[in-house]
Amino acid sequence: MHSKHIVLRAIAAISLAAAALGSASAATLSVGPGMAFSAPCAAIAAARDGDTIDIAGNTTYSGDACSINRNNLTIRGVNGRPKIDAAGKNAADKGIWVVNGNNLTVDNVEMVGAKVMDANGAALRLQGTNFTLRHAFIHDNENGILANANADSDILIEYSEFGHNGGGTGQTHNLYIGKVKSLTFRYSYSHDANVGHNLKSRAMTNTIVYNRFSSTNPGEKGSTVAGQPSYEIDLPNAGTSYVIGNIIQQPAANQNPTIVAYGEEGATNPGHDLYFVNNTVVNDFAGGTFLFVSGKVSTPALVQNNIFVGDGTLCSQAAAVRKNNYRTFATDIVDRSTGSLRRFASALVIGAGTDPGKSASGVSLAPTGQYKDVASGEERPMAGAPDLGAHEVPRAAASAKAVTWTECAVEGKVCRFSGTHEVRFGTRDVYTSKIVTASTHCTVAAFGDPAHGRAKTCSYADVPAVAPAARPHTAAASGWTPCAGEGAICQLSGTNRVRYGTETENVTKVLTGSVTCSNATFGDPAHGFLKTCSFRAGR
């Protein structure tokens, strides 16, 4: 045999032997009462590169803070979720777990109580390269996660909850990611940041998809106490950013009326392209800005297939490409149990989305998943053209047909037609709507202003069909006449009996004058389903 081949075979044999040895030497270290290690940090100190540390769940480990210096470790909770409580302790005056090693994976842990001398403590302080977090609950720390700048590091966070982190200074946050190579944040729930942001990232590429960002309002119950966040999402240095399929809610009590900010500290990252697609954004504050894009960002943001609920400026960037966005000003159509927009029968939402195409680098922008409570997700069901917003509405396949809109008036005139139709009011890229019988004034006074300072028109169309259990009322032999979709105003005069719900689950009230068709007026007779209002004259 040729000597060169002999050498190559010897090298291959040595490599295979080394790989087998490395695999055999990887160990699983068990932590918990009666186990080899009584606390996580003892196991972390004993671990070698590539080991797995299993921490017994449903157990609290108090005052157990340390640095993690090994590479390729997996630390996971088993048989329940373990609670790591700082209890006044810290590692290196930086936090509970200070991660110096590379390629760490943390799975299924709860971490609470990080505090340090400079008030910048973190449950997880990331100083190594690459990090993955899954199925965690990180709450009531000065920072939930604080990641150092590292241009080689990819960070993945999924199926995790962050609540009420922040020291109250505005400089600490639920998550603060420094200038890393990339952040992927998906199927997670970040809420109630204490004065800081629910997510702040300086990453050069941000993939923020299928999450919920919100905070509790007075009277609501949450997994942590209420907070007053600043931005829901802050991307201060721009960067190529995909913000797709998220539920984003700004509470009435907040520290900054801007909901999502992009490039406001200087667009210093290489990419300046923002893709804001299929989000549901709810503003409980009276005013502010849904999407702020810095004047230092020259690339037009893509704002497509979103639902915007409440008052405020839609987007600060005049050059932004806006397509197929829906606005409604009635915030009480939001389901507070999930933070998602109530599923209501609007031809401007159901099947109204268009293909957002691909990013400048060829990444598909079409949503494939959707958020599901709590800190979980599911595949986004598709039946023809996509819906607007973060969720698809369950509906019959026949409803996927295109909706035809007939223009009926320019702004300031009266829109007239026969029967009951949904009427949209707005421009070619953003509309609001309501269900109307016979006629309506095509004015801001009648609809609210979906596009301030721009000429608007009115058009009408039929309300789309939905799944049988969620089908809106029809004027059948029962004598009920449809008058509004959920969240709209049922324009009535005199006294009427008004029915709210689906065909099979509904409530009725005798009311006088116009009626807001909402859970706030009637209660919720059909949780999670499309609802409409119908009426009968008299009592």
Side-chain angles (χ1 to χ4, degrees), residues 14 68 71 107 145 150 180 184 203 223 253 270 338 353 370 403-404 457-458 486 529:
I14 293 170
I68 300 173
N71 301 317
D107 191 353
I145 290 180
N150 183 337
V180 298
T184 299
S223 56
T338 66
Q370 58 188 23
V403 174
T404 299
T457 61
C458 282
E486 186 173 355
F529 290 109

Side-chain angles (χ1 to χ4, degrees), residues 42-373:
I44 289 169
R48 296 178 179 272
D49 288 357
D51 284 353
T52 295
I53 298 172
D54 285 349
I55 307 174
N58 302 316
T59 303
T60 298
Y61 302 88
S62 295
D64 196 50
C66 55
S67 295
I68 300 173
N69 299 313
R70 292 295 187 181
N71 301 317
N72 304 305
L73 288 186
T74 296
I75 302 175
R76 63 190 183 189
V78 295
N79 300 318
R81 179 183 281 167
K83 182 176 182 178
I84 315 299
D85 187 343
K89 303 295 184 180
N90 69 76
D93 202 31
K94 291 182 178 180
I96 301 177
W97 288 350
V98 179
V99 182
N100 299 313
N102 302 329
N103 306 311
L104 175 67
T105 296
V106 176
D107 191 353
N108 191 36
V109 299
E110 178 181 356
M111 302 184 74
V112 60
K115 294 183 179 180
V116 301
M117 287 292 291
D118 67 359
N120 200 33
L124 289 156
R125 178 68 177 264
L126 308 183
Q127 300 183 157
T129 300
N130 301 335
F131 174 75
T132 297
L133 179 72
R134 298 188 174 100
H135 307 111
F137 180 26
I138 312 295
H139 64 99
D140 295 288
N141 303 280
E142 288 174 332
N143 288 283
I145 290 180
L146 177 57
N148 286 11
N150 183 337
D152 296 320
S153 186
D154 295 309
I155 296 176
L156 168 62
I157 299 166
E158 58 185 3
Y159 305 107
S160 295
E161 179 181 0
F162 298 81
H164 203 251
N165 299 287
T169 63
Q171 304 300 312
T172 50
H173 313 282
N174 268 352
L175 298 99
Y176 188 178
I177 309 300
K179 189 174 182 177
V180 298
K181 181 180 179 182
S182 73
L183 167 68
T184 299
F185 189 76
R186 63 191 181 195
Y187 298 120
S188 293
Y189 178 27
S190 184
H191 60 96
D192 292 295
N194 183 23
V195 181
H197 307 317
N198 279 329
L199 171 61
K200 180 170 185 172
S201 174
R202 301 183 188 274
M204 288 180 277
T205 298
N206 296 283
T207 302
I208 301 169
V209 294
Y210 321 130
N211 305 289
R212 175 184 172 184
F213 299 91
S214 67
S215 295
T216 51
N217 284 307
E220 295 175 1
K221 184 178 180 180
S223 56
T224 69
V225 300
Q228 290 190 13
S230 184
Y231 303 136
E232 297 297 320
I233 302 174
D234 183 25
L235 307 175
N237 300 131
T240 296
S241 297
Y242 306 93
V243 182
I244 300 173
N246 301 283
I247 302 156
I248 309 170
Q249 176 205 353
Q250 174 171 256
N254 59 75
Q255 294 292 316
N256 192 307
T258 293
I259 300 175
V260 177
Y262 183 76
E264 51 37 78
E265 290 185 26
T268 56
N269 277 332
H272 292 174
D273 46 334
L274 170 63
Y275 305 96
F276 197 82
V277 177
N278 275 100
N279 301 288
T280 296
V281 191
V282 180
N283 186 13
D284 287 327
F285 181 71
T289 301
F290 286 92
L291 177 60
F292 172 83
V293 179
S294 169
K296 298 177 181 178
V297 175
S298 58
T299 304
L302 176 64
V303 183
Q304 184 169 350
N305 293 349
N306 301 287
I307 296 174
F308 297 98
V309 182
D311 293 326
T313 300
L314 194 71
C315 179
S316 67
Q317 188 186 46
V321 177
R322 310 180 195 198
K323 299 179 180 179
N324 295 86
N325 298 294
Y326 179 77
R327 290 205 68 175
T328 178
F329 299 92
T331 58
D332 61 359
I333 67 176
V334 176
D335 181 351
R336 299 300 175 181
S337 69
T338 66
S340 60
L341 192 69
R342 293 294 303 154
R343 296 166 174 168
F344 65 107
S346 172
L348 285 171
V349 171
I350 298 175
T354 54
D355 183 3
K358 296 182 178 181
S359 71
S361 58
V363 175
S364 174
L365 303 175
T368 58
Q370 58 188 23
Y371 177 82
K372 184 178 179 181
D373 270 0

Side-chain angles (χ1 to χ4, degrees), residues 370-396:
Q370 58 188 23
Y371 177 82
K372 184 178 179 181
D373 270 0
V374 169
S376 64
E378 60 189 3
E379 184 178 353
R380 182 168 177 141
M382 300 297 292
D387 293 348
L388 303 190
H391 288 91
E392 288 291 308
V393 174
R395 64 190 187 273

